[in-house]
Amino acid sequence: AQKITQTQPGMFVQEKEAVTLDCTYDTSDQSYGLFWYKQPSSGEMIFLIYQGSYDEQNATEGRYSLNFQKARKSANLVISASQLGDSAMYFCAMRSLYGNKLVFGAGTILRVKS
Amino acid sequence: EAQVTQNPRYLITVTGKKLTVTCSQNMNHEYMSWYRQDPGLGLRQIYYSMNVEVTDKGDVPEGYKVSRKEKRNFPLILESPSPNQTSLYFCASSLRGQGINEQYFGPGTRLTVT
């Protein structure tokens, strides 16, 4: 069975600073993908970034980067230069190559302070 | 515009009154799925469909039904809603059922059962 653990229920960060949101996962599969989604207060799920289990480089998308440490089974999201609009719920999720669903963590609420 | 649509976006109903939440995608995706989101639990899969006329249970299927008669539509049916089905529901689709494909999410349906 697959499992995603997000240990930080809530985080605060000062505007313009960087923040790391933690995500650890558990799977016996060799081929899988890790995803991060943002959910603002309006409720929609916004895809942020993806990392494949065989990707050697850490994924980056603009101000988002994924710190992938395969041996430690962690896939932390790093947001650089935080903005007020980054305040939202963030979900880490994974999907195996032969799986039929995304498995989600419980989420981390991020609040950016001005 | 490529998108997943859900209707209604908000629904308040009473226990036992049958309801249907519609989901439609315009990307010719084979795979569609329903999730429910509850505080502290993240998103959990209810049902999924690998293609037309192919559906299967996810992690929390009790009290729900689905059908996939057309590729673009995947309605979620609550035959006799109960208060424990009060939740935020998401429909999602991806190109294929297998493989690590990004899932595209609908805007969500907030359901309250009194």
Side-chain angles (χ1 to χ4, degrees):
Chain A
Q2 300 163 351
K3 186 177 180 181
I4 295 283
T5 301
Q6 294 180 253
T7 57
Q8 306 153 313
M11 293 274 290
F12 283 97
V13 64
Q14 196 67 37
E15 194 177 11
K16 299 181 185 177
E17 293 186 350
V19 63
T20 297
L21 306 184
D22 293 340
C23 173
T24 58
Y25 61 92
D26 189 22
T27 182
S28 56
D29 295 322
Q30 298 300 310
S31 298
Y32 51 88
L34 295 153
F35 302 80
W36 277 92
Y37 288 86
K38 173 184 178 181
Q39 186 179 46
S41 58
S42 51
E44 71 267 30
M45 297 288 285
I46 301 168
F47 166 73
L48 294 178
I49 196 167
Y50 162 81
Q51 177 86 41
S53 60
Y54 289 111
D55 293 341
E56 295 186 354
Q57 302 270 5
N58 285 343
T60 62
E61 290 286 347
R63 293 187 298 111
Y64 303 108
S65 60
L66 202 153
N67 184 358
F68 181 47
Q69 298 187 43
K70 193 171 182 177
R72 297 180 62 183
K73 293 190 174 179
S74 75
N76 298 339
L77 177 70
V78 181
I79 305 175
S80 62
S82 297
Q83 302 171 356
L84 295 177
D86 293 334
S87 293
M89 174 77 88
Y90 289 81
F91 289 102
C92 179
M94 74 176 297
R95 187 174 184 179
S96 291
L97 180 64
Y98 298 107
N100 54 49
K101 65 183 177 188
L102 278 171
V103 176
F104 284 84
T108 296
I109 298 175
L110 177 66
R111 290 287 176 255
V112 181
K113 300 184 292 184
S114 59
Chain B
E1 180 190 354
Q3 60 182 352
V4 179
T5 57
Q6 294 178 230
N7 282 292
R9 295 289 312 280
Y10 303 91
L11 180 60
I12 301 174
T13 189
V14 296
T15 298
K17 186 176 181 183
K18 181 179 178 180
L19 65 92
T20 299
V21 183
T22 65
C23 172
S24 183
Q25 50 90 8
N26 63 0
M27 296 169 279
N28 202 36
H29 284 173
E30 290 184 355
Y31 175 90
M32 298 185 75
S33 181
W34 277 102
Y35 296 86
R36 61 177 287 173
Q37 180 183 349
D38 302 291
L41 297 176
L43 280 73
R44 294 175 294 167
Q45 189 184 53
I46 302 171
Y47 269 94
Y48 67 96
S49 170
M50 298 290 271
N51 214 323
V52 177
E53 302 290 3
V54 181
T55 63
D56 207 347
K57 297 177 180 179
D59 295 322
V60 288
E62 294 76 20
Y64 305 95
K65 286 175 58 176
V66 294
S67 68
R68 187 94 182 271
K69 293 182 171 55
E70 306 166 281
K71 199 170 187 179
R72 63 183 293 129
N73 296 323
F74 190 45
L76 180 69
I77 303 157
L78 285 73
E79 294 265 358
S80 182
S82 62
N84 64 11
Q85 293 178 296
T86 293
S87 189
L88 178 59
Y89 291 86
F90 286 100
C91 181
S93 72
S94 63
L95 186 61
R96 299 273 184 271
Q98 289 191 340
I100 303 170
N101 307 285
E102 179 189 342
Q103 287 198 14
Y104 295 79
F105 282 85
T109 295
R110 194 169 292 278
L111 173 66
T112 301
V113 183
T114 61

